[in-house]
Amino acid sequence: MLSERMKRKMEGEPSLLFKGFIASKNNPYNADTNPTGIINLGTSENLICSDLVIPKMESLAKFSPQDMTYFPRGGVTGFREELARFLTHRAKSDITLNHEHISITNGLSSAFCFLSFFVGEEGDQYLIGAPYYGMTQQYMGSYGGLTPIELPDGGSIDSMKSALQTPGHSIKAIVLLNPQNPTGEVYTKEYVLEVMGVAKEHSLHVIIDEIYFLSIFEGETFESCLSYTQEWPDPARTHFIWSFSKDFSMSGARCGLIYSQSEVLHNAYNDKMAFYHFVPALVQRMLCRLIQDTTWVDNYLTESRSRLRDHLEIVTDTLDRIEVKYSPPKGTLYVWADFSPLFPDPNHPTSDHANSIFYGLIDEGVYIPSSGGFNGPDPQYFRIVFAVPKQELLVAMDRLVKFAERQRGSSGSVMNNPQ
C-alpha cells in the first residue's frame, strides 16, 4: 500500500526524543488526576509564561473577512514589514532590515525543510557540530534528502576544513544553532564570521538557527548574526531562521521566518513552495498586532527571562546536591548535565548505560533525554528542560534525586524540595 519512497522514510527506530515525548504524552503527570504520571523535561517548550501570553493573544483574536480568504504567498499585508521592524530592533541589526528579505514559514522546522530543498540535491551533505538537536537531521533529511556530516568536537574551524578536504563528500551547507542546542553555548561573532568565511571559500550556504535569541538571560552577551549583516562574507548564501515558538511560548502557533538577502531564494519559495508552508491569516494578523505592542513585548521578555533563570536555579541547585556537573547556559530553556556519576562506571560511560538511565528515569516518572537524542559523542550527557510549571519541576527534581540515590546504592534520605 505504501510507496517505496514512503517506506524508506519510515525505516529505522523512532528517535529517543520521539520515544520520550510519546511516553510523556501517553501518561502525562497531573498533580490531581495522575500524580504518578511522567513529567516532561525533554521537550523544549516554554510552559511558564502562558499566563502572560494567553490573555494577550485572546485580546488580539479579531476576525475580519480578510482572514477567510487567500492571501499573498509572502504573507498577509503588513506582517513582513512589522517583522522587519521587530528584528531590526530586537536583534540590534546594523541595517534597517528589508521586509522583502523575509519569507514566512510554518514554524522553524518548515524553514529547515525548505532550505534543505533549496541548498542541495538528495544525497548531498551539510556540516554540523555535535551534539546537536536531533530533529534537525529529520528536517534536513526527510524533505530535501540531505545528510549530516557530524563534527564531534562541536564544530571547530579545523574540523570543518578537514571535512571539506575529505574526498567523496558533496557538502552544500553549514548549519549553526546559536544558542547551541543542547549545550546552551553561545557562539561569538568572531566564530560565526569565521564559519561564514570558510563557507564562502567553498561556495557553501550557511543556515543560522537563532530560535532562542530572545531568551538570553539579563547580563549575558549574545550577538545575533543580524547585528553584523554588513560583515557577512557571502550574503546571498547566508540564511537566518527564527520562530515565535520558544521566545514567545507558543510552539503551537507554528509561525517562523527565513531572513535572507537572496532574491533567488525568496522567488523560489514564494513562487513554488510557500503554498505548502502557509501560516493561517488569523495567526499572522494576531502576531503582527502582538509585536506592534512594543511595551508589552518589553515587559513580557523581561518577565520570561526572569522566570527562566529562577527555574534554572531550581535545577542547578538539585544537580549540585547530587554532585552532577553541568554547563551553565547563558539562556535558552535547558541545561546540559554530565550524569556520569550515575553510571555504573563513571570513568567509562557507555551508550547502553545511558539508555538504561534514560528508561530508568521514565520509570521514575521523568523524561530527560540523553546525548543519544542529540547525536552526541559523549553518552553521559543529558539535557534537562527547566521551562515547566514550578510545581512540576519541584516534583521532577525530587524524583531525580531519588533515582540518583538508588543509582549510587545510597541509603541517604531524599532531599528537601528546593524553594
Side-chain angles (χ1 to χ4, degrees), residues 275-352:
F275 191 82
Y276 308 106
H277 299 269
F278 276 163
V279 177
L282 177 62
V283 172
Q284 292 188 52
R285 295 188 200 283
M286 291 170 67
L287 293 176
C288 185
R289 298 180 193 117
L290 178 78
I291 59 178
Q292 284 175 333
D293 189 343
T294 56
T295 299
W296 185 90
V297 172
D298 286 341
N299 292 336
Y300 165 79
L301 291 175
T302 298
E303 180 64 18
S304 176
R305 291 164 182 157
S306 176
R307 293 184 186 186
L308 289 171
R309 188 184 283 277
D310 289 345
H311 281 231
L312 170 63
E313 289 179 359
I314 291 174
V315 173
T316 55
D317 285 349
T318 302
L319 296 176
D320 288 339
R321 294 183 188 199
I322 62 175
E323 299 179 339
V324 164
K325 295 180 180 179
Y326 52 89
S327 302
K330 293 187 177 182
T332 75
L333 315 181
Y334 44 80
V335 60
W336 192 233
D338 180 354
F339 276 26
S340 56
L342 309 186
F343 281 63
D345 184 352
N347 295 319
H348 299 92
T350 67
S351 296
D352 287 343

Side-chain angles (χ1 to χ4, degrees), residues 170-392:
S170 179
I171 300 168
K172 300 299 182 183
I174 301 173
V175 175
L176 293 180
L177 314 179
N178 193 24
Q180 216 275 346
N181 185 0
T183 67
E185 177 185 0
V186 167
Y187 296 133
T188 65
K189 171 185 174 180
E190 291 72 24
Y191 170 77
V192 174
L193 285 174
E194 196 168 359
V195 171
M196 290 180 179
V198 172
K200 180 179 181 180
E201 182 181 347
H202 295 271
S203 298
L204 306 180
H205 294 264
V206 181
I207 301 170
I208 305 178
D209 167 2
E210 293 189 9
I211 195 171
Y212 297 98
F213 93 93
L214 291 175
S215 296
I216 301 297
F217 299 139
E218 296 294 337
E220 300 290 356
T221 299
F222 177 82
E223 292 181 278
S224 168
C225 69
L226 295 181
S227 69
Y228 46 90
T229 61
Q230 295 181 91
E231 298 178 57
W232 290 1
D234 190 358
R237 289 191 178 95
T238 303
H239 318 298
F240 162 96
I241 57 177
W242 177 80
S243 89
F244 286 84
S245 297
K246 314 298 184 181
D247 293 330
F248 281 92
S249 311
M250 53 176 73
S251 50
R254 311 309 305 145
C255 186
L257 61 87
I258 302 169
Y259 174 85
S260 174
Q261 295 180 22
S262 169
E263 183 178 353
V264 173
L265 181 148
H266 295 293
N267 287 341
Y269 181 76
N270 291 322
D271 290 349
K272 301 297 182 182
M273 307 296 284
F275 191 82
Y276 308 106
H277 299 269
F278 276 163
V279 177
L282 177 62
V283 172
Q284 292 188 52
R285 295 188 200 283
M286 291 170 67
L287 293 176
C288 185
R289 298 180 193 117
L290 178 78
I291 59 178
Q292 284 175 333
D293 189 343
T294 56
T295 299
W296 185 90
V297 172
D298 286 341
N299 292 336
Y300 165 79
L301 291 175
T302 298
E303 180 64 18
S304 176
R305 291 164 182 157
S306 176
R307 293 184 186 186
L308 289 171
R309 188 184 283 277
D310 289 345
H311 281 231
L312 170 63
E313 289 179 359
I314 291 174
V315 173
T316 55
D317 285 349
T318 302
L319 296 176
D320 288 339
R321 294 183 188 199
I322 62 175
E323 299 179 339
V324 164
K325 295 180 180 179
Y326 52 89
S327 302
K330 293 187 177 182
T332 75
L333 315 181
Y334 44 80
V335 60
W336 192 233
D338 180 354
F339 276 26
S340 56
L342 309 186
F343 281 63
D345 184 352
N347 295 319
H348 299 92
T350 67
S351 296
D352 287 343
H353 290 150
N355 286 335
S356 177
I357 289 175
F358 169 76
Y359 288 109
L361 285 167
I362 291 285
D363 290 342
E364 190 69 46
V366 189
Y367 160 41
I368 301 175
S370 68
S371 179
F374 306 94
N375 299 322
D378 303 309
Q380 70 270 27
Y381 283 92
F382 285 68
R383 191 192 72 175
I384 305 173
V385 172
F386 48 80
V388 301
K390 186 173 183 179
Q391 186 270 341
E392 291 187 21

Side-chain angles (χ1 to χ4, degrees), residues 38-84:
I38 298 171
I39 299 173
N40 184 346
L41 301 188
T43 303
S44 186
E45 294 185 282
N46 185 340
L47 304 179
I48 59 176
C49 293
S50 298
D51 61 310
L52 304 176
V53 174
I54 291 175
K56 180 63 176 177
M57 293 301 285
E58 288 176 339
S59 73
L60 301 175
K62 302 171 183 177
F63 284 89
S64 73
Q66 290 177 301
D67 297 324
M68 303 300 135
T69 63
Y70 293 120
F71 49 85
R73 293 184 179 183
V76 300
T77 302
F79 186 37
R80 286 190 302 153
E81 290 85 344
E82 202 60 49
L83 282 170

Side-chain angles (χ1 to χ4, degrees), residues 9 105 108-126 135-148 170-175 205-207 239 241 258 265 269 273 277:
K9 298 294 185 187
T105 63
L108 196 80
S109 55
S110 177
F112 265 123
C113 288
F114 166 73
L115 287 169
S116 72
F117 201 83
F118 177 78
V119 304
E121 305 293 338
E122 188 168 2
D124 286 339
Q125 300 150 322
Y126 59 95
M135 293 300 291
T136 306
Q137 185 173 353
Q138 181 171 325
Y139 301 154
M140 296 288 284
S142 294
Y143 204 76
L146 274 63
T147 58
S170 179
I171 300 168
K172 300 299 182 183
I174 301 173
V175 175
H205 294 264
V206 181
I207 301 170
H239 318 298
I241 57 177
I258 302 169
L265 181 148
Y269 181 76
M273 307 296 284
H277 299 269

